[in-house]
Amino acid sequence: MNWDSVVAVTDSTLVRVDLLCFDTSNPRFTPDKRPDDSTNLAIVRKLASSADLAELVQSIATSGYINIEPLIVVAESDCLRVLEGNRRLAAIMCLRDPEFAKSAGVSLPEFDQAKVLASTDMILVYRVEREEDARDLIGFKHINGPQSWDAYAKAKFATKWLDDEKQLSSQGKKSLSLNDIANRMGDKHATIFRMVTAYYVLDQAESEEVFSVDDRTKKAFSFSHLYTGLSYVEFTDYLGMHRPQRTEDPYTDPVPQSHIDNLKNLLQWLYGSKKEEIQPIIKSQNPDLGLLREVLKSKAATRELEERVSLADAIVTATPKDVRFSRHILAANNELLKALNTLDGFDPEGQSELEEIAESAAKRAISIRSSVRAAIEDANGVVK
C-alpha cells in the first residue's frame, strides 16, 4: 500500500475506517488490563472492561461520529496503526458490527444504524512518520490531561521514550533527559523519575527471572507500592541501589547482581507469587508499606521477615522494647477506660465470669505498677 497516496505525513485527512488498526503496544494495556491476545475482539473486550468504552459508544450512537479531533496514526505494512484514539476506534467497530459488539461484551443502545454507519465510513486521521513524533501530544494528554492513564501506563510510556533518547545519545545525537521528557509530558520530574525507576526494577526482575508481574497473586497490580517504596532509602539500601542525583537519569539495571535475591524478596513481599504460593505481606499501602520500611531499618527484623515472611512478627522485632511497652500500656489504659465507661452494661447474671477476668487484670496492673515504681526508684537512687 502506498500510504502517501492515502494520507501524507503531517497531513490530516479522511480515510476509510477499514484501513485502521489497533496499537497492540498501547501503554493503556497494563499488567491487569492486558488483552488476552492481539485480536480485535480481545482488545475491544479489554477496553470495554477497563476504559469506559460504554460511555463513548452511547455518545456516538446518539449523535453519530463527529470528525473534529483526528486519530493519530503511523503507517504499517498493512494498515494505519492508531497511536491515539484506540477507544474511539473500538467504539466505532462495535457500532458498525452489533454481532462483534455482542461477542466483545459491549451492550449497544437503540440507535439509527444507517446514520451511525454513514458517520463512521470515513475517519479523520493525522499521520506521523514515526511513533516518536506523536509523543509530546499523547504524553501530555494522558499524563495530566482529560484522559489520564494509570501510573504503570505512564511509566511504560516515559521509559520507552527515555530508552529511545538514550539510544540517540549513544549515537552522538542530540537527545532528551528524563527531566526534558517530564516537562513535555506536563508532569513533575520527581514523580516520573520514581515511576521510571520502578519500571526498570520490574524489567530487571523479569529479565533475571526472579519475578514476573503475571505471577502476582492479586488480579489488581498496585504499581504504586513499588515506586513509592523506592522513594525511601531503606528500600533502595536493601536492594543495593545507587540513588542518582536529580540531574541524572535512572539506571537501566538499577539493582546490582549481589542483591538480586533481595529483589526477589521485595517483589514477593509486595505482590506475592502464585507459583510459590506466597501471599503478599503488603495488604494496603497504608500502613503496611510504612511498617515494611520500619522492618528494613533493622537487620534482625529484616532477617526474620526473610525467613518467616510475617510482617507482624518482623515489626515486633524491629520495634524497641521500650516503645512496645509504652504502646501496650497506653492501649491497655485506653481499653480499661472504655470498659469503665460502659460498666453500667455489665450483666451480673449473664456475665459473672467477667469477675475472674477483672481480678486477673487488676493483679497484672498492680504487678506492672510495682515493677515500674521499683525501676523509677532504682533509677533515682532511692534507698529502700
Side-chain angles (χ1 to χ4, degrees):
M1 173 71 77
N2 179 12
W3 292 114
D4 289 338
S5 65
V6 177
V7 53
V9 173
T10 71
D11 271 359
S12 295
T13 192
L14 296 170
V15 302
R16 298 198 324 267
V17 68
D18 60 285
L19 297 179
L20 305 175
C21 62
F22 289 114
D23 180 14
T24 57
S25 61
N26 190 334
R28 188 191 297 274
F29 298 149
T30 56
D32 49 357
K33 299 174 185 176
R34 187 180 296 149
D36 295 333
D37 53 57
S38 59
T39 63
N40 288 346
L41 183 61
I43 290 173
V44 173
R45 184 177 289 144
K46 182 53 67 175
L47 289 173
S49 65
S50 65
D52 297 326
L53 189 59
E55 181 180 8
L56 188 54
V57 167
Q58 177 67 52
S59 176
I60 297 175
T62 301
S63 307
Y65 185 75
I66 303 174
N67 279 301
I68 295 178
E69 181 182 358
L71 276 62
I72 301 177
V73 300
V74 63
E76 301 285 334
S77 58
D78 57 350
C79 70
L80 293 170
R81 177 161 59 95
V82 177
L83 301 175
E84 169 58 26
N86 284 271
R87 286 177 67 248
R88 282 176 280 166
L89 178 58
I92 289 169
M93 283 186 175
C94 290
L95 289 164
R96 291 179 66 85
D97 187 347
E99 287 301 315
F100 174 81
K102 183 178 179 180
S103 298
V106 177
S107 298
L108 299 181
E110 294 289 333
F111 67 99
D112 185 338
Q113 192 165 7
K115 174 184 174 182
V116 169
L117 284 176
S119 72
T120 57
D121 281 338
M122 302 293 288
I123 303 298
L124 182 66
V125 303
Y126 176 84
R127 182 184 166 197
V128 294
E129 183 176 7
R130 305 170 304 153
E131 183 175 340
E132 301 90 285
D133 298 332
R135 280 177 172 159
D136 285 359
L137 174 61
I138 295 174
F140 183 81
K141 180 175 182 179
H142 292 296
I143 299 304
N144 283 321
Q147 297 175 18
S148 181
W149 286 328
D150 65 23
Y152 187 89
K154 294 176 182 179
K156 181 179 179 181
F157 183 84
T159 302
K160 177 64 167 61
W161 192 342
L162 180 61
D163 286 344
D164 288 345
E165 295 299 328
K166 287 180 178 180
Q167 184 65 28
L168 290 176
S169 178
S170 68
Q171 298 169 0
K173 299 179 181 178
K174 185 178 180 180
S175 60
L176 300 176
S177 67
L178 185 58
N179 188 43
D180 297 327
I181 293 171
N183 288 335
R184 294 194 177 199
M185 292 169 67
D187 202 55
K188 294 180 179 178
H189 173 249
T191 303
I192 292 297
F193 185 95
R194 290 191 292 125
M195 290 179 179
V196 171
T197 300
Y199 193 92
Y200 278 143
V201 167
L202 280 176
D203 188 59
Q204 184 178 5
E206 296 263 4
S207 64
E208 296 284 350
E209 299 183 349
V210 296
F211 178 80
S212 170
V213 173
D214 292 335
D215 186 46
R216 69 190 186 279
T217 56
K218 292 184 178 181
K219 182 178 180 180
F221 177 57
S222 301
F223 182 57
S224 63
H225 290 354
L226 180 59
Y227 75 74
T228 300
L230 292 177
S231 66
Y232 304 135
V233 66
E234 293 83 5
F235 283 72
T236 51
D237 281 354
Y238 182 68
L239 296 179
M241 290 174 56
H242 170 67
R243 294 179 68 86
Q245 300 296 318
R246 291 293 178 87
T247 55
E248 298 179 71
D249 288 336
Y251 294 168
T252 304
D253 291 309
V255 180
Q257 287 296 311
S258 58
H259 288 66
I260 292 299
D261 287 342
N262 289 4
L263 174 59
K264 178 180 180 179
N265 290 336
L266 179 62
L267 293 176
Q268 288 188 344
W269 293 338
L270 296 180
Y271 305 114
S273 169
K274 290 185 293 187
K275 182 174 62 178
E276 299 187 26
E277 298 182 345
I278 296 174
Q279 291 297 317
I281 63 172
I282 303 301
K283 308 302 180 183
S284 61
Q285 188 159 304
N286 183 27
D288 291 346
L289 206 64
L291 294 176
L292 178 55
R293 183 184 181 187
E294 292 301 312
V295 168
L296 293 176
K297 291 178 180 179
S298 164
K299 289 184 178 180
T302 301
R303 177 60 60 84
E304 181 168 351
L305 183 59
E306 291 171 341
E307 294 178 354
R308 302 182 61 183
V309 197
S310 170
L311 183 59
D313 292 343
I315 196 63
V316 169
T317 302
T319 307
K321 281 188 175 182
D322 60 334
V323 174
R324 278 186 277 155
F325 177 73
S326 175
R327 289 176 181 173
H328 293 324
I329 284 291
L330 292 172
N333 186 59
N334 186 52
E335 291 302 315
L336 286 172
L337 179 60
K338 291 178 183 177
L340 186 61
N341 289 336
T342 57
L343 189 58
D344 57 351
F346 172 62
D347 178 7
E349 294 182 0
Q351 298 177 307
S352 59
E353 76 283 355
L354 293 182
E355 181 183 11
E356 184 178 345
I357 296 175
E359 182 66 26
S360 176
K363 288 179 179 179
R364 289 172 179 169
I366 292 171
S367 176
I368 292 172
R369 184 187 63 181
S370 298
S371 297
V372 168
R373 181 173 294 170
I376 292 175
E377 290 176 349
D378 185 62
N380 293 332
V382 176
V383 179
K384 299 180 182 178

